[in-house]
Amino acid sequence: AAAFSQSFVDMPRPGRPLQVAVIGAGLAGLSCAKYLSDAGHEPIVLEARDVLGGKVSAWQDKDGDWIETGLHIFFGAYPNVNQMFTELGIRDRLQWKSHSMIFAMPGQQTTDGFQRFSRFEFPDLLPAPLNGLVAILLNTEMLTFPEKIQFGIGLIPAILFGQKYVEECDSLTVTEWMSKQGVPDRVNDEVFIAMAKALNFIDPDNLSMTVVLTALNRFLQETHGSKMAFLDGPPPTRLCQPMADHMLARGGELRMNQRISEILLNDDKTVKGLKMQDGSVVVADAYVSTMPVDVLKLMLPDEWRPIPYFDKLNGLTGVPVINIHMWFDRKLTTVDHLLFSRSPLLSVYADMSLTCKGYRDDEKSMLELVFAPAKDWIGRPDADIIEATMDELYRLFPNELNKDGSGAKLLKSAVVKTPLSVYEATAGRELYRPVQTSPISNFFLAGCFTKQKYLASMEGATFSGKLAAKALADAAAAGTIPLKEAASAVAA
Ligand code: FAD
């Protein structure tokens, strides 16, 4: 990742910097703009909303508390994101947690009445994959020894045939793969329902096995791959703003509240300009869309729709997910980590008053919880969602929360619904993910749904932006992007 970043800085400076309109200021857009500016070009980032970050965006409520679009975890196996923090000089903002994976055991209590957890502890002194194997072998609460062995045998083809096998498994759901490999159903129920919901907000009956194998591969190959970090505060100020500042300092531009409504074409189907919602038109030398795939599909010009590259996008759709915040009048837990809920409605959760310096509170808890699968709940009122979540929390916190109201009190809550979030990684989706270079010479794509090996994640988004910036800068150097006339002459 460091060498890839350096390649932008080392590129020969362009004779005339390209003005590049980057649509969207999520991680893909900001990453693309950053690296374009490193290569000596002039990105103009056009963001529809008044907040940076897209799916990592956050805002303050009337009390000044931060509301986030999603509970976000950074992994050791995110080379480009970690490199971004280094390049921006903000590595200290990543708060790394102990190298463990902690699963809740809903309904089960310790002898003194507290919630029970089951931990996979990765020993610090051992390299990958030994640390992962020891973590799995030492956990005795969730899987029996024969179940672990059967799962291990099921993984042999992945170990022997590597990435090719991982990609072939896209035709199977996690559940189908488990039964094909003779892995007992309990492995699925105990571990992979929680993992599937955490990876893509859907159940293993729907999730592509490629997603799980990709994650396992990274975790088993990289010593710190499964180590997790929380950002120390809201992503827009703690991460996105420094990304924007980097490109602004190098001649880039950021325009907020700029929603594009139409992509205007020349006769040869190249992009002529972007029509904005206020009627104005933005003209650049080249264009990068980082809009979510569902928005992009609506925005495609009719002339592009029959082109296979764009037609393929119809195979991708965003998955619904709900992010919940709950403030309690006292501390519910002392666990400073991400927790896999293993409960029907929830995916993962964390007490952000412990895990995140910026939200620290020594007296009270602020739980952030990912509610998934959310397809049957996304249209329901917030009050129903909170009530259903409370029902799960009574089982997760048997000692702290009581239905009779005698335990901790819920002070307030906030529900953030994202009806179409990251692309739904059901079996067979890999075929539909587009590469960053489109058949249109001055139009490129980025976004976590575009083709890269890190799936729909912050790393995937950041890496896709970097790949699009590279493809564009290379095309500019090769002279394959038609330059616009007047305005660019002024810009030069
Ligand atoms: P987006 O963030 O969607 O950015 C697209 C941008 O385009 C937005 O800013 C949008 O406003 C803008 N836009 C849209 N339409 C227009 C228009 N017409 N004109 C101008 N601008 C427009 N990933 C992890 O790695 N770890 C996690 O723990 C994790 N947890 C998650 C939890 C939740 C609840 C969610 C929703 C996501 C989570 N993710 C996680 C995934 C991660 O957030 C995304 O993969 C990533 O942020 C996507 O970035 P992006 O730039 O591709 O897209």
Side-chain angles (χ1 to χ4, degrees), residues 168-183:
E168 280 165 14
C169 287
D170 191 44
S171 60
L172 297 175
T173 66
V174 176
T175 317
E176 285 166 351
W177 183 91
M178 296 278 170
S179 93
K180 186 165 167 252
Q181 296 303 107
V183 179

Side-chain angles (χ1 to χ4, degrees), residues 23-29 46-49 51-56 69-75 78 201 258-261 276 290-292 295 299 321-323 370 418 421-422 446-449 456-459 461 464:
I23 311 165
L27 290 179
L46 306 165
E47 168 54 49
R49 297 167 68 193
V51 55
L52 294 175
K55 289 191 243 307
V56 300
T69 306
L71 167 60
H72 276 88
I73 302 296
F74 296 80
F75 283 94
Y78 281 4
F201 318 131
Q258 293 290 309
R259 186 178 296 274
I260 78 146
S261 59
M276 310 307 293
T290 75
M291 294 183 286
V295 183
M299 202 76 73
V321 66
I322 301 171
N323 199 52
V370 180
T418 308
S421 73
V422 296
C448 65
F449 66 95
S457 66
M458 295 187 284
E459 171 69 14
S464 75

Side-chain angles (χ1 to χ4, degrees), residues 280-408:
S280 63
V281 173
V282 171
V283 177
D285 293 305
Y287 303 81
V288 184
S289 168
T290 75
M291 294 183 286
V293 69
D294 298 283
V295 183
L296 175 64
K297 284 192 294 186
L298 293 175
M299 202 76 73
L300 285 179
D302 287 341
E303 294 87 327
W304 286 1
R305 288 181 187 273
I307 302 174
Y309 175 88
F310 294 110
D311 182 49
K312 258 190 354 179
L313 297 175
N314 291 314
L316 300 174
T317 308
V319 61
V321 66
I322 301 171
N323 199 52
I324 298 174
H325 306 64
M326 296 174 119
W327 286 263
F328 289 91
D329 67 348
R330 65 197 79 165
K331 278 266 174 279
L332 292 185
T333 175
T334 51
V335 183
D336 175 10
H337 214 301
L338 182 78
L339 297 160
F340 291 81
S341 81
R342 293 171 78 247
S343 66
L345 296 178
L346 298 175
S347 160
V348 288
Y349 65 98
D351 185 343
M352 302 296 275
S353 72
L354 295 167
T355 55
C356 175
K357 203 157 77 185
Y359 305 150
R360 191 189 167 100
D361 191 322
D362 293 332
E363 310 289 322
K364 301 175 193 136
S365 275
M366 191 277 262
L367 296 189
E368 213 171 305
L369 312 109
V370 180
F371 191 105
K375 110 179 127 43
D376 298 332
W377 289 87
I378 197 87
R380 307 261 300 256
D382 291 0
D384 290 5
I385 294 166
I386 293 296
E387 196 185 318
T389 305
M390 278 306 291
D391 278 342
E392 300 227 342
L393 292 186
Y394 291 128
R395 295 200 320 127
L396 287 170
F397 296 98
N399 208 38
E400 298 80 3
L401 290 171
N402 295 315
K403 278 197 178 163
D404 63 11
S406 60

